[in-house]
Amino acid sequence: MSDRTPAGQFLDAAIDLLQRVRDEEAGAIAAAGTLLADTVADGGRLFAFGAGHSSLAAQDLVYRAGGLALMNLLTVPGAVGVDVTPATLGSALERVDGLATAVLDASPLRAGDALVIVSLSGRNALPVEMAIHARSLGARVIGVTSVAYATRTTSRHSSGTFLKDHCDVVLDSRIAVGDAELTLDDVPAPFAPASTVVTTALLQAVMATTAATLADRGIEPPLLRSGNVDGGHDWNARVFEQYRDRIFYLH
């Protein structure tokens, strides 16, 4: 029997979206996982970036039990989550031309690295410029976005393009424009966003693919273990030592 409470409806909507990306994005997930495995095998470094709430999925990849130790968070001051006051400043910074170029030029990212860029709309200057400039530096880019925004909104980048137009691999989260799954007659605005649930799941599917691909090639995936299980800290210390020149969150 279907649960028609708002909670049940939201969970059903999230499950439907997860099933869609499982079925419709399988090829892109495999391609993204292979790209990251290639980067690790070739000695490259891994970075993830997201602005505002898109940063949540990027942060979930970094220093994560069960995750790849080599994934580093690329940050733009003031644009990581809602940790600035006023919170609207972060949204304003996403529209500033030149900011992404300045951040990348001051970052460790170089040719041969891979950068995951998370942006639900993919329309703001920051993620678009980030992808363009990263590729000009010789890095490969995986974009995680809702492609629907490119047909329902206009770009805020001077080129008139979207994040999806500047990626080596695009993962489409299939999130509807507006990112709200529920409506009620007596609630004046749509509500219950699912982008974080879906985007995080998409990226963890990519990480799983990366780890399995490396193992298939005879390369031990540089995975972290939970520090809350016996032996976890010793395991992680070994991984940190082995890959210390490719991990930047320890410095």
Side-chain angles (χ1 to χ4, degrees):
M1 183 175 179
S2 178
D3 181 355
R4 301 310 297 168
T5 67
Q9 290 180 60
F10 172 76
L11 291 170
D12 285 345
I15 290 168
D16 287 345
L17 283 163
L18 290 171
Q19 289 176 330
R20 282 194 67 190
V21 298
R22 179 197 62 194
D23 298 339
E24 299 173 18
E25 294 300 303
I29 291 169
T34 300
L35 187 157
L36 294 182
D38 290 344
T39 303
V40 172
D42 293 341
R45 293 88 58 82
L46 309 180
F47 297 87
F49 167 78
H53 286 93
S54 290
S55 180
L56 296 174
Q59 292 180 56
D60 190 58
L61 300 178
V62 180
Y63 187 47
R64 188 74 166 84
L68 293 174
L70 303 191
M71 185 62 73
N72 301 278
L73 188 66
L74 185 65
T75 60
V76 174
V80 182
V82 290
D83 60 339
V84 294
T85 303
T88 51
L89 173 61
S91 298
L93 290 173
E94 290 186 61
R95 304 177 189 181
V96 175
D97 291 331
L99 181 57
T101 295
V103 168
L104 283 178
D105 287 346
S107 79
L109 185 129
R110 66 187 184 193
D113 293 343
L115 173 61
V116 176
I117 301 177
V118 186
S119 175
L120 179 61
S121 73
R123 68 185 298 217
N124 287 314
L126 187 56
V128 176
E129 183 184 324
M130 185 80 69
I132 292 172
H133 194 54
R135 293 179 90 188
S136 76
L137 295 174
R140 289 177 291 179
V141 174
I142 297 170
V144 189
T145 187
S146 171
V147 173
Y149 276 83
T151 60
R152 298 277 304 278
T153 68
T154 57
S155 171
R156 290 179 174 141
H157 187 258
S158 58
S159 67
T161 60
F162 288 75
L163 170 61
K164 71 175 185 62
D165 300 315
H166 306 285
C167 299
D168 296 276
V169 179
V170 175
L171 294 166
D172 186 356
S173 64
R174 310 286 171 163
I175 298 294
V177 175
D179 191 18
E181 294 300 318
L182 302 184
T183 58
L184 287 175
D185 291 341
D186 55 352
V187 177
F191 59 103
S195 59
T196 302
V197 173
V198 176
T199 302
T200 299
L202 259 177
L203 285 173
Q204 290 301 343
V206 171
M207 296 301 110
T209 303
T210 301
T213 301
L214 288 169
D216 285 344
R217 298 178 185 180
I219 301 171
E220 180 184 323
L223 296 169
L224 295 175
R225 288 188 172 182
S226 171
N228 296 313
V229 299
D230 292 343
H233 288 301
D234 291 338
W235 172 280
N236 293 343
R238 177 184 66 82
V239 174
F240 291 152
E241 177 61 24
Q242 181 177 354
Y243 292 98
R244 63 185 182 277
D245 59 331
R246 297 157 76 178
I247 297 173
F248 300 97
Y249 52 82
L250 297 176
H251 299 171

